[in-house]
Amino acid sequence: MEQGKRTQSTEQPVRRRRPRRRSTGLRIVGGIFLTLWTLLLIGICTAAMMFGIFMKYVNTSLAPSLEVRAEDYTMNLSSFIYYQDRETGQWVEFQNVHGVENRVLVDFDEIPDALWQAAVAIEDERFFEHKGVDWKMTGKAVLSLFNGSSISGGSTITQQVLKNITKNKETTINRKVREIFRALKFEENYNKWQILELYLNNIYLGKGCYGVQTAAQFYFNKDVSELSVAECASLIAITNNPSMYGPMYNITIKRTDGTTTTPREANKRRQGWILDKMTKVINPRTGQPFLTEAQAAAAKAEVLQFSDGSTSAKELVEQATGGIEVDSWFVDQVKRDVSQDLAKSLGIKPDEALTRLYNGGYRIYTTLDPKIQSMAESIYEDRSNMDVTSRDGQPIRSGITIIEPSTGNVVATVGDIGEKTGNLIMSYAMDKRQVGSSMKPLTAYAPAMDAGLISPATTFDNYPLRLLNNNPWPKNAPNTYSGWSSVTEGIRISMNTIALHALETIGAEEAYLFATEKLHLNLVPEDVNSSSLGLGGLTYGLNTMEMAAAYAAFANGGIYNSPRTYLRVTRIDSSGNEVTVLENEGESHVAMKDTTAYLMNQMLKNAVQNGTGRPGRISGMTVAGKTGTTNDNFDRYFVGYTPYYVGAVWVGYKYNAKISYNVNGSTNPAVDLWKKVMTLVHEDLPDRDFDKPATGLERVTVCADSGMRCTDACRADPRGSRAVSFEIAAGTGPSEDCTMHTMVGYCTEGECLAGETCPEESVVQRAYLDYEREDYGSGIYASDDAYLLPNLQKAVEEAGGCPVHVGGELVDPENPEGPVDPENPEQPTDPNTPIVNPEEPTPPPAVTDPNEGGETHEGYGGGPTSQPVTPPVAPEPEPDPEPVTPPAESVDPPATTTEPGGDWFEGLWNNT
């Protein structure tokens, strides 16, 4: 082969076959199928997951409350209240529990067929076909949800029965789901006729009528068994909307087209619809429609004869049953407490729990003392014991709760003045009301004392703390200030200023925690401020049970017991055994040191014996307590206690109005009501004092002004020795000597601080308070202003020295320019100076009692009344006083005041 010459191959080239392409249509169909299959699988998996989640929700959240026993609701099993006899210890049946509805039960065989047939025809035409849930109607209800409508409609008669007897009428998905499962479970245990009987005995038919028997009597003056077909259809027509279809309602209904109609006309139209439906729905007993066309036409033509409505549903029930028995205020509270706890235990609503309580055959073992309850009711039911009316004609209202401090057991409570007229009506004992200065011991004094920051001997300045909105704050009532005062004195006459000082030593936050965590007072975060915790101006107020329980911690040596009205609830099971349903052990904990409780008791005893609570004294019985007053005298309060019982009383009006009250010198009606009740309660009890801790107390002698250790200067005060003795918690006494009293020379002739020109024989050594008080302007004084050294120094400076001794000469203060006649030093020699008749007495300077005080809310009170006083001549220093118990504070009486119990003191506590 020649080089470079091409040769031709003999092999044939291989042809590649091109794959056949599928048609475009097949590819699209395949893709769609694959997508749909994927979505289907995703949907199935998602549905399975959702179903699993849903079933877990059913089993954990719904299952505990799905079981509904008709006997819990049908009023066949009465529940009973028991109390423990104090002498025998045996439990005694007190009464059965009564409901509040106007209802007369009727057996199914007394109900005319037309009545249940009308209900089935209009409310649930497939009632005899489903098992508690009409899935077709439920589906429509679900669709309406997606259309933006509310969850309503679709309920079968079974579901309506459950809704009516459980009182759960929320329009929520949760309620609907719960209702569906309950209905399915309910129909497993009850037949259709039992369900219809429940339905017709529980439906509401307007004008206070519960159940068809009461409604038949009210609307037609007939027994239900005597109703005609037309009357049956008319009654059932009401159920859809009682105010719109109730023939006794006198309103005008405006239609969408602008025309109007009345409820009686609307009832007649709906009656016609029901009668028409009855011709179409099949009777399961006969296989024929409920009514023939002719029967329906005859019923439509019947003229309904309604009653005049003059006899109310309540009166009809009373005629048929002898009346609904009115429970005591105590039993009402037991029902509230048990139903609340039962609802929590079963995961149901309180209203449903209350219905169960009425009919479930429970045995409720309570803390009631029927003797004390009867005593309290005897005082409160007789309005002559507190016959007070406001200017706008409101009768006075009041509530009281009495607690045994050693257990926290509520032994009695009354919720209003006058005869009780119904069950579960509002109780002023349990309603939150303002407590005023009754709050001070709980949130100002006890927290600071328990923290060791103050003691009964601690002193603060009874004078405005600061300016608030450019006004001195706080004010007392009456609006006077006594200057330096002890905590004991601040509690005795309820000084607002001292309470605020005590509160601010510990701070509002710590005081709030003490009150809410230690004493379980239901305060809110908005109460964390000086006005609320120091003066009692709370956001919502407190009820008398809370207040009594909190004060009981003082009487119980610092141990707080949560208040309770019952101990346990039981019922008889199917085997005849008594089983416990609820156990109410209560909570008990140390709220404060026993020394704190003891010292608070001593000071609060003093407040009753010698202070604002003086009208609450009970002869032959140890009593402690604290009053309370709010702005404009809208509320008056008193929490008083003995070693046996604590009683808290609120008095006021339904709508805020000033309380004008002055009976036998007492201006606090709460104290008077408390005394009337508690005098009866303690009538046969021997007197005894509160327990005193065996250790942890000591007695100290301190300066009444500074609260520091007494010095010779404290005993040289012109008012007399300021040495006072207090019992305090060990280790909380002062560690330093008084730095407030300062010894200075005092000119007895010039009645001023001695100067260089005052002769030695006119000068004595006295001690004054080296303390400068904030000047809030004219009219704001403290009654010890005249004993403040800076004030005396200022007076001498302004006078240019001693007004009598000028340049060493004796000068007539009335005529400093003229020399004094040595023969008659009382008269000037200047002929131009008028001669004073020595026989005419000179008026003494006005003196204001240094112990004035009182209580009110922030920013209220009258105008200032106290004025500076001229200091009296100092007596000789006295030795330390001997310890005296009681009272907790032993003070040498000021030379210018009246002892407590005199005219001055009567006037004071009348205004606090």
Side-chain angles (χ1 to χ4, degrees):
M1 185 180 293
E2 294 181 7
Q3 189 175 4
K5 191 174 180 179
R6 295 183 178 180
T7 62
Q8 240 181 352
S9 173
T10 60
E11 297 180 5
Q12 296 294 323
V14 179
R15 280 183 151 184
R16 295 183 180 177
R17 299 180 64 183
R18 301 176 71 180
R20 267 193 295 178
R21 294 183 181 178
R22 294 179 182 177
S23 67
T24 302
L26 287 176
R27 288 202 311 274
I28 293 174
V29 171
I32 292 174
F33 178 79
L34 184 61
T35 301
L36 291 175
W37 177 251
T38 303
L39 290 175
L40 178 62
L41 289 177
I42 292 173
I44 292 172
C45 292
T46 303
M49 291 174 59
M50 295 301 295
F51 182 76
I53 294 171
F54 178 72
M55 290 309 298
K56 184 175 182 180
Y57 164 73
V58 170
N59 292 324
T60 57
S61 299
L62 293 183
S65 59
L66 290 182
E67 185 69 35
V68 178
R69 305 191 323 162
E71 55 266 32
D72 287 339
Y73 304 93
T74 55
M75 307 178 189
N76 293 327
L77 297 173
S78 295
S79 296
F80 289 89
I81 300 286
Y82 293 83
Y83 71 91
Q84 189 171 29
D85 186 282
R86 287 185 177 271
E87 295 181 0
T88 66
Q90 298 296 313
W91 287 98
V92 181
E93 183 182 306
F94 182 64
Q95 68 165 73
N96 63 333
V97 179
H98 307 117
V100 297
E101 294 175 346
N102 302 312
R103 186 195 313 276
V104 179
L105 296 179
V106 60
D107 292 333
F108 189 73
D109 57 10
E110 299 176 56
I111 297 174
D113 288 346
L115 195 57
W116 66 260
Q117 291 170 358
V120 169
I122 195 67
E123 294 293 329
D124 187 2
E125 63 184 75
R126 285 182 289 276
F127 174 69
F128 291 100
E129 300 169 19
H130 61 66
K131 300 298 182 181
V133 178
D134 187 332
W135 295 109
K136 182 177 180 181
M137 294 173 64
T138 301
K140 290 180 179 179
V142 172
L143 288 175
S144 70
L145 171 65
F146 290 105
N147 291 333
S149 304
S150 61
I151 298 294
S152 60
S155 293
T156 63
I157 284 179
T158 307
Q159 289 172 284
Q160 291 182 53
V161 165
L162 291 168
K163 183 169 65 175
N164 288 333
I165 65 178
T166 62
K167 310 298 183 185
N168 190 348
K169 299 181 180 180
E170 296 178 346
T171 54
T172 62
I173 294 176
N174 180 282
R175 197 269 295 174
K176 274 290 185 183
V177 172
R178 188 188 302 267
E179 189 180 276
I180 288 171
F181 278 87
R182 276 184 162 181
L184 294 172
K185 199 169 187 66
F186 195 75
E187 288 220 4
E188 293 176 3
N189 301 311
Y190 300 94
N191 63 45
K192 296 292 185 178
W193 310 111
Q194 290 173 314
I195 293 170
L196 282 173
E197 180 179 325
L198 280 171
Y199 175 76
L200 294 171
N201 272 304
N202 280 279
I203 54 175
Y204 180 64
L205 293 161
K207 290 294 182 178
C209 298
Y210 290 87
V212 292
Q213 176 71 314
T214 306
Q217 291 284 354
F218 178 74
Y219 289 108
F220 299 110
N221 280 332
K222 290 183 179 182
D223 187 87
V224 67
S225 62
E226 301 172 351
L227 293 178
S228 67
V229 172
E231 290 166 339
C232 287
S234 178
L235 275 190
I236 296 301
I238 300 172
T239 60
N240 182 264
N241 188 329
S243 61
M244 180 178 292
Y245 296 110
M248 295 300 191
Y249 284 94
N250 186 25
I251 61 174
T252 300
I253 303 169
K254 188 174 183 179
R255 298 190 181 98
T256 55
D257 61 2
T259 60
T260 61
T261 187
T262 65
R264 185 162 295 192
E265 292 170 344
N267 178 270
K268 183 63 179 175
R269 281 193 303 275
R270 187 166 177 82
Q271 178 216 38
W273 301 338
I274 292 171
L275 292 169
D276 288 339
K277 288 280 289 183
M278 291 173 72
T279 65
K280 297 177 175 63
V281 180
I282 302 301
N283 188 334
R285 289 175 170 174
T286 65
Q288 300 297 318
F290 289 141
L291 293 179
T292 65
E293 294 289 345
Q295 289 171 325
K300 290 179 184 179
E302 181 180 325
V303 178
L304 297 176
Q305 301 295 325
F306 293 104
S307 71
D308 59 10
S310 59
T311 305
S312 69
K314 181 180 179 181
E315 291 170 328
L316 290 170
V317 172
E318 289 175 351
Q319 292 171 10
T321 64
I324 296 174
E325 291 192 48
V326 177
D327 292 330
S328 70
W329 293 101
F330 185 93
V331 172
D332 269 7
Q333 192 57 38
V334 169
K335 290 188 288 188
R336 289 187 177 101
D337 292 344
V338 172
S339 60
Q340 288 284 344
D341 293 344
L342 195 61
K344 292 177 184 177
S345 174
L346 300 177
I348 59 179
K349 296 291 182 182
D351 284 347
E352 180 181 348
L354 187 59
T355 302
R356 288 195 179 196
L357 184 62
Y358 288 143
N359 317 295
Y362 293 100
R363 297 181 178 185
I364 306 164
Y365 296 90
T366 73
T367 61
L368 171 70
D369 187 318
K371 183 178 178 182
I372 296 178
Q373 179 69 27
S374 178
M375 291 173 176
E377 288 174 352
S378 69
I379 297 298
Y380 268 74
E381 287 176 359
D382 185 356
R383 186 162 281 279
S384 67
N385 284 314
M386 189 56 60
D387 192 12
V388 179
T389 305
S390 66
R391 289 185 177 180
D392 58 0
Q394 295 184 71
I396 200 75
R397 308 283 191 169
S398 180
I400 183 173
T401 298
I402 303 173
I403 286 179
E404 189 177 55
S406 60
T407 61
N409 291 344
V410 177
V411 296
T413 184
V414 180
D416 201 0
I417 298 175
E419 183 180 358
K420 189 170 183 282
T421 57
N423 290 330
L424 292 180
I425 58 178
M426 194 191 82
S427 168
Y428 288 99
M430 302 302 161
D431 192 37
K432 287 184 178 293
R433 296 280 164 166
Q434 293 297 330
V435 302
S437 291
S438 298
M439 197 69 182
K440 294 174 183 175
L442 305 176
T443 50
Y445 295 114
M449 190 171 297
D450 204 54
L453 300 175
I454 65 170
S455 77
T458 302
T459 62
F460 296 108
D461 193 9
N462 179 23
Y463 190 75
L465 276 72
R466 51 187 169 268
L467 289 176
L468 185 66
N469 298 324
N470 294 319
N471 293 309
W473 182 83
K475 294 181 179 180
N476 290 323
N479 191 28
T480 60
Y481 305 97
S482 60
W484 286 93
S485 304
S486 67
V487 164
T488 300
E489 186 70 0
I491 291 177
R492 181 178 77 87
I493 53 178
S494 198
M495 298 176 182
N496 288 336
T497 51
I498 305 302
L500 284 170
H501 276 297
L503 172 68
E504 294 187 358
T505 61
I506 189 170
E509 292 82 4
E510 288 300 318
Y512 176 83
L513 291 175
F514 183 93
T516 54
E517 296 180 1
K518 299 293 185 65
L519 301 178
H520 287 193
L521 295 176
N522 289 308
L523 306 178
V524 294
E526 290 79 4
D527 291 323
V528 183
N529 60 78
S530 295
S531 179
S532 294
L533 301 180
L535 303 178
L538 303 176
T539 305
Y540 299 112
L542 297 166
N543 65 43
T544 60
M545 185 185 290
E546 294 175 84
M547 291 294 286
Y551 270 79
F554 296 146
N556 196 36
I559 305 299
Y560 174 87
N561 292 308
S562 58
R564 56 183 179 175
T565 58
Y566 76 95
L567 303 180
R568 65 183 180 277
V569 178
T570 67
R571 71 185 305 174
I572 305 300
D573 66 12
S574 57
S575 301
N577 300 316
E578 186 174 9
V579 295
T580 300
V581 177
L582 292 173
E583 193 78 43
N584 187 18
E585 296 178 351
E587 181 185 346
S588 182
H589 64 260
V590 176
M592 66 193 81
K593 302 181 184 75
D594 58 352
T595 53
T596 301
Y598 170 77
L599 294 172
M600 290 301 302
N601 290 337
Q602 296 302 100
M603 291 187 287
L604 290 169
K605 282 197 309 184
N606 189 38
V608 172
Q609 286 300 114
N610 305 302
T612 58
R614 194 164 179 251
R617 294 179 297 179
I618 297 176
S619 178
M621 181 57 61
T622 299
V623 179
K626 183 70 190 71
T627 55
T629 307
T630 61
N631 294 352
D632 295 330
N633 275 342
F634 286 166
D635 306 84
R636 301 308 297 266
Y637 221 93
F638 184 63
V639 187
Y641 60 99
T642 70
Y644 297 100
Y645 299 106
V646 182
V649 177
W650 170 86
V651 172
Y653 293 106
K654 182 176 182 179
Y655 306 105
N656 279 342
K658 183 176 182 179
I659 301 171
S660 297
Y661 180 84
N662 193 326
V663 177
N664 298 324
S666 171
T667 60
N668 192 328
V671 181
D672 287 358
L673 274 175
W674 183 93
K675 181 176 181 179
K676 288 178 180 181
V677 172
M678 299 299 266
T679 298
L680 294 177
V681 171
H682 291 81
E683 199 166 32
D684 298 323
L685 297 175
D687 186 21
R688 65 183 179 92
D689 205 347
F690 300 103
D691 293 337
K692 181 176 181 178
T695 59
L697 296 169
E698 64 180 0
R699 186 166 286 276
V700 296
T701 298
V702 300
C703 171
D705 297 294
S706 67
M708 305 172 78
R709 291 192 307 200
C710 227
T711 66
D712 290 339
C714 302
R715 298 179 177 88
D717 190 290
R719 295 166 289 181
S721 174
R722 303 298 285 167
V724 289
S725 177
F726 289 92
E727 192 171 28
I728 65 172
T732 63
S735 58
E736 298 178 354
D737 291 341
C738 175
T739 57
M740 191 175 289
H741 276 101
T742 300
M743 298 295 296
V744 294
Y746 186 83
C747 178
T748 57
E749 294 178 336
E751 296 185 343
C752 65
L753 294 182
E756 295 178 356
T757 59
C758 298
E760 186 176 339
E761 60 271 17
S762 299
V763 178
V764 296
Q765 291 297 306
R766 292 182 180 172
Y768 288 93
L769 305 178
D770 191 6
Y771 174 75
E772 188 164 3
R773 186 168 279 135
E774 185 78 23
D775 184 2
Y776 288 122
S778 176
I780 304 297
Y781 301 98
S783 55
D784 67 353
D785 275 349
Y787 304 98
L788 300 186
L789 186 57
N791 290 352
L792 295 175
Q793 292 170 336
K794 182 179 179 181
V796 170
E797 291 173 3
E798 290 177 350
C802 177
V804 174
H805 302 107
V806 179
E809 293 185 335
L810 187 63
V811 178
D812 176 19
E814 300 294 332
N815 185 26
E817 301 300 326
V820 175
D821 183 353
E823 298 297 327
N824 185 7
E826 299 296 328
Q827 302 293 335
T829 56
D830 188 343
N832 295 320
T833 302
I835 298 195
V836 178
N837 182 358
E839 299 297 327
E840 184 176 340
T842 303
V847 178
T848 299
D849 191 280
N851 292 322
E852 290 185 299
E855 57 180 312
T856 187
H857 264 329
E858 164 190 0
Y860 285 78
T865 58
S866 60
Q867 300 289 335
V869 299
T870 302
V873 177
E876 292 295 321
E878 299 179 8
D880 290 347
E882 291 296 322
V884 179
T885 304
E889 179 177 13
S890 176
V891 186
D892 294 327
T896 58
T897 63
T898 303
E899 281 292 305
D903 294 338
W904 167 80
F905 192 76
E906 294 289 333
L908 173 63
W909 59 252
N910 285 348
N911 290 281
T912 57

